[in-house]
Amino acid sequence: NRTPAVVAIVVTFRRHELLAQTLDSIVHQTAPTPAIVVVDNEVSSELAEQVGRLHPDAEYVSSGDNLGPGGGFGVGLRHAQDKHPKAQWYWLLDDDSPPALNALELALDAASAATSYGAVGAIGLRGGHVKHGRIRHDLPAGSVNALTPADFLLVDGSILSAEAVRRVGYPRADFFIMMEDLEYSLRVGESGLALLVRPDDGSTNLYQGSGAPWRGYYQSRNHLRLALERRSPAWLIGWLIREAAINAHHLRHARWAAIRYRIRGAVDAVRKRMGRVVEPVSNQSTSTA
């Protein structure tokens, strides 16, 4: 049976086999099967047909272009709001994240148990804190035994409340990739809604995203843009410390391309050049010079 209370939103880009694994895990949840929205970050008739074969009731939505995770989830959330206006939760998943078969049940149990924290914005498996402008991923998966407040969450695998979307809108498409979940969850938390990390449920993340140098462009640009928009000296110092540490590591290993990408990202942050600027190249590696 389907429950309209939850809509699973999966964003995918040219990873049909991984998507099939993730959809299969969603369909076989111990909780009632949620409505399913698959956001294709391009236009693929082949994928639309595949989604229909995997789950006849799944809704295929094309973004029309590669908008990155932030833009893709924004497309999915808008669609879900329109087609499932009574939904209370949105379950956000990357295409390489097959959830444990009890993942949704445990997430909803956590939501029921979170009443002592007031209104809840999102509950995830991983997150962290921001202290004096420095981002600390100090709540990795499996690090807590009970619901734990966080300053930010990693969106993948999280359940996001409909109230959060009503208050703050959607993730920023102009970030394209990297830091978009940090920025969004910070907005949710600052709206007065609780952000919570829950105990690990055994979900799998295949982490098919590469460590390619081009990703450093977006991480550097979006982090600095966030610091500049907040007009926060602490955030700016946090960015400088992080950049110095990362570039020192690249320098020791003669990763010149990685350093160039990060410098270019910083320049574009100051210039307010946002969106998809550097094209993702899946076959690059961190050792590319």
Side-chain angles (χ1 to χ4, degrees):
N1 295 324
R2 172 196 292 260
T3 172
V6 181
V7 180
I9 301 174
V10 186
V11 175
T12 187
F13 181 70
R14 298 180 182 176
R15 300 198 292 204
H16 297 190
E17 292 184 6
L18 291 170
L19 175 65
Q21 295 180 51
T22 297
L23 288 179
D24 186 67
S25 296
I26 294 171
V27 171
H28 291 96
Q29 288 292 300
T30 56
T33 302
I36 302 172
V37 175
V38 176
V39 180
D40 182 7
N41 248 339
E42 58 175 355
V43 182
S44 171
S45 57
E46 178 187 347
L47 181 59
E49 293 172 2
Q50 179 191 19
V51 169
R53 289 195 303 270
L54 290 170
H55 188 52
D57 292 330
E59 300 160 29
Y60 170 88
V61 182
S62 171
S63 67
D65 195 6
N66 184 5
L67 304 180
F73 280 122
V75 169
L77 288 166
R78 288 182 179 89
H79 177 88
Q81 283 184 306
D82 180 49
K83 298 296 184 180
H84 305 280
K86 295 183 180 179
Q88 299 169 334
W89 295 97
Y90 305 109
W91 189 19
L92 307 182
L93 293 160
D94 291 340
D95 57 5
D96 62 349
S97 301
L101 298 186
N102 63 345
L104 182 56
E105 181 181 1
L106 293 177
L108 294 176
D109 286 347
S112 297
T115 54
S116 62
Y117 293 97
V120 175
I123 301 175
L125 293 169
R126 300 177 293 280
H129 296 93
V130 179
K131 295 185 181 297
H132 308 297
R134 298 188 66 181
I135 300 166
R136 302 181 186 275
H137 291 263
D138 51 2
L139 293 172
S143 63
V144 302
N145 296 316
L147 285 171
T148 303
D151 293 331
F152 67 89
L153 301 175
L154 299 189
V155 165
D156 182 27
S158 297
I159 57 170
L160 174 71
S161 71
E163 177 61 22
V165 181
R166 284 190 289 268
R167 289 195 190 188
V168 306
Y170 311 104
R172 287 177 61 167
D174 66 338
F175 271 37
F176 182 61
I177 193 171
M178 308 298 287
M179 310 289 290
E180 78 288 341
D181 44 5
L182 168 74
E183 189 278 336
Y184 185 65
S185 56
L186 285 173
R187 274 193 282 139
V188 172
E190 289 165 354
S191 77
L193 299 174
L195 297 170
L196 302 167
V197 172
R198 66 181 178 88
D200 194 11
D201 58 21
S203 291
T204 301
N205 191 309
L206 302 176
Y207 292 109
Q208 294 298 298
S210 70
W214 63 265
R215 286 178 173 263
Y217 166 87
Y218 290 105
Q219 185 184 63
S220 176
R221 184 195 70 179
N222 295 343
H223 189 177
L224 179 55
R225 189 70 235 149
L226 192 54
L228 293 172
E229 290 178 359
R230 285 175 169 260
R231 299 182 180 180
S232 168
W235 273 82
L236 183 57
I237 292 170
W239 174 81
L240 287 168
I241 292 172
R242 187 180 197 182
E243 285 300 295
I246 291 172
N247 283 322
H249 175 76
H250 289 325
L251 185 61
R252 285 196 297 272
H253 297 278
R255 294 172 179 165
W256 309 114
I259 294 172
R260 287 195 296 270
Y261 272 119
R262 300 193 78 90
I263 293 172
R264 181 180 172 189
V267 171
D268 282 354
V270 175
R271 295 171 59 198
K272 300 182 182 179
R273 189 181 184 199
M274 303 297 288
R276 192 180 80 212
V277 177
V278 173
E279 288 296 327
V281 181
S282 61
N283 63 353
Q284 285 183 312
S285 70
T286 54
S287 60
T288 301

